[in-house]
Amino acid sequence: SLFRLKDLEVPKLGDSDVHIKMLAAPINPADINMVQGTYAILSPLPAVGGNEGVGEVLEVGSRVTALKPGDWVIPADAGLGTWRTRGVFPEKMLLKVPRDIPVLCAATLSVNPCTAFRMLADFETLAPGDSVIQNAANSGVGQAVIQIAKASGIKTINVVRDRPDLPQLVERLMALGADHVVTEEMLRKPEMKDIFKSIPKPRLALNCVGGKSTTEMLRHLQPKGTMVTYGGMAKQPVMVPVSAFIFRDVRLRGFWMTQWRKDHAQDPESVAGMMDSLCQLIRRGQLTAPACTQVPLQDYKAALEATMKPFVSSKQILLL
């Protein structure tokens, strides 16, 4: 296996450093891609895995101003290496989060909900009553999109792969606030027209699959609508009929949360504004952590294996 559990010395605390005790950290597909070397970020090896999680501040250096012992923090950026029990990091690598949100919400805040929030906000100006279509709707991002959209009065059409436990999955997504849940196969069926009797065709499509799924979603997009690709689980290219470009002038965009953070590194207000909005939704019960399985760190091998299995509807979270 590429992974080993190792005991290391905690480095000395510098003036601008923060010593944290990690509380919980999820395993995301991108974390595994990073270790496999198939992701855009490569950490020099040996490296600690994990790009998100929540920790508690134990001790701060003399120059640290924004954090104090007892505060909860999450990574300000990808590549922190959160699968560890303790760590010493420069203050600028951490963001403070409120302690009055559930620990699993804090642990899963910095990647999926932020991605969902930005994609709903940054590409199309959506108003209450507008609709969005997305594939892999049961993913962490998908679940966040459903809930954030619902809180803003935006309708969601959610595409999932057919599976043995489909009725349970549909029920779970509807409980989160999904308006419609359809399978990839249903996207091609004439019955799709029935959906658009009650809601407008979407102006925004969110794609993290690629291949056929994308082409089918594009059919239902409004003229001049935008499709944002943020993942490619099918490992197939995005195929677009020429007619969609010419006659419907659809726009194809890409989104990568890591890049957004780089672009907004000098703009702490935009980051703080997003975090505040998300924490407000969490406090109001409008945004929950994705379905999670909590795993003690020593069982990390089982957690990694579970993450790689198809049709996993539960995110593995390492308890540290």
Side-chain angles (χ1 to χ4, degrees):
S1 155
L2 294 160
F3 298 93
R4 279 211 305 281
L5 201 53
K6 239 180 137 154
D7 286 318
L8 302 171
E9 289 288 312
V10 175
K12 213 164 91 27
L13 189 74
D15 290 344
S16 307
D17 288 344
V18 178
H19 179 191
I20 67 172
K21 172 176 96 172
M22 288 303 295
L23 302 172
I27 300 179
N28 293 316
D31 301 330
I32 293 173
N33 295 343
M34 241 169 111
V35 177
Q36 290 166 337
T38 58
Y39 202 63
I41 311 175
L42 290 174
S43 299
L45 297 173
V48 178
N51 285 298
E52 72 171 341
V54 61
E56 182 178 337
V57 175
L58 296 175
E59 198 184 352
V60 300
S62 57
R63 291 215 197 111
V64 172
T65 52
L67 296 170
K68 59 182 190 310
D71 285 347
W72 276 10
V73 290
I74 63 173
D77 216 336
L80 191 70
T82 52
W83 301 343
R84 63 172 93 218
T85 54
R86 298 282 177 96
V88 171
F89 304 105
E91 176 184 21
K92 65 172 194 296
M93 291 175 76
L94 303 167
L95 284 178
K96 182 176 165 177
V97 291
R99 287 191 58 140
D100 66 348
I101 62 172
V103 71
L104 293 181
C105 287
T108 53
L109 186 58
S110 62
V111 180
N112 295 336
C114 290
T115 300
F117 185 91
R118 294 268 52 106
M119 291 194 304
L120 287 169
D122 295 352
F123 294 93
E124 289 280 345
T125 312
L126 298 169
D130 284 345
S131 78
V132 174
I133 189 168
Q134 63 165 347
N135 55 22
N138 59 314
S139 66
V141 172
Q143 293 175 53
V145 164
I146 290 170
Q147 296 173 85
I148 296 166
K150 170 85 173 171
S152 325
I154 294 158
K155 309 287 185 196
T156 56
I157 302 154
N158 300 283
V159 186
V160 296
R161 287 181 296 175
D162 199 3
R163 62 194 64 214
D165 61 343
L166 186 65
Q168 291 94 308
L169 176 60
V170 171
E171 203 173 306
R172 222 182 65 225
L173 296 183
M174 297 299 269
L176 288 179
D179 294 281
H180 298 276
V181 181
V182 298
T183 61
E184 298 277 359
E185 292 70 37
M186 281 163 68
L187 270 184
R188 287 181 209 121
K189 302 251 165 78
E191 291 87 280
M192 277 302 284
K193 290 201 184 63
D194 297 340
I195 287 180
F196 300 118
K197 284 177 185 156
S198 56
I199 62 172
K201 287 209 158 192
R203 293 232 307 279
L204 181 65
L206 306 177
N207 165 49
C208 78
V209 178
K212 271 202 210 73
S213 176
T214 315
T215 317
E216 296 299 338
M217 265 201 324
L218 266 178
R219 282 188 193 183
H220 302 295
L221 206 56
Q222 273 190 35
K224 294 202 184 327
T226 304
M227 183 174 75
V228 182
T229 293
Y230 68 98
M233 291 179 350
K235 297 190 169 51
Q236 287 162 353
V238 167
M239 305 288 274
V240 183
V242 171
S243 60
F245 274 134
I246 299 174
F247 301 123
R248 291 197 291 127
D249 189 17
V250 298
R251 276 139 236 257
L252 298 195
R253 301 286 306 271
F255 182 76
W256 187 32
M257 193 63 219
T258 303
Q259 187 62 46
W260 186 92
R261 290 190 195 283
K262 279 198 188 80
D263 295 345
H264 293 80
Q266 307 311 317
D267 179 11
E269 286 77 29
S270 66
V271 178
M274 168 172 69
M275 287 308 187
D276 282 350
S277 300
L278 291 169
C279 289
Q280 283 297 357
L281 290 173
I282 290 167
R283 283 193 197 99
R284 290 193 211 120
Q286 294 177 305
L287 179 62
T288 54
C292 292
T293 304
Q294 302 178 45
V295 182
L297 180 61
Q298 57 270 25
D299 299 341
Y300 75 94
K301 284 200 172 99
L304 286 165
E305 274 166 28
T307 302
M308 315 280 272
K309 285 200 182 93
F311 301 125
V312 174
S313 290
S314 187
K315 195 176 276 295
Q316 307 290 310
I317 306 242
L318 298 171
L319 296 183
L320 307 160

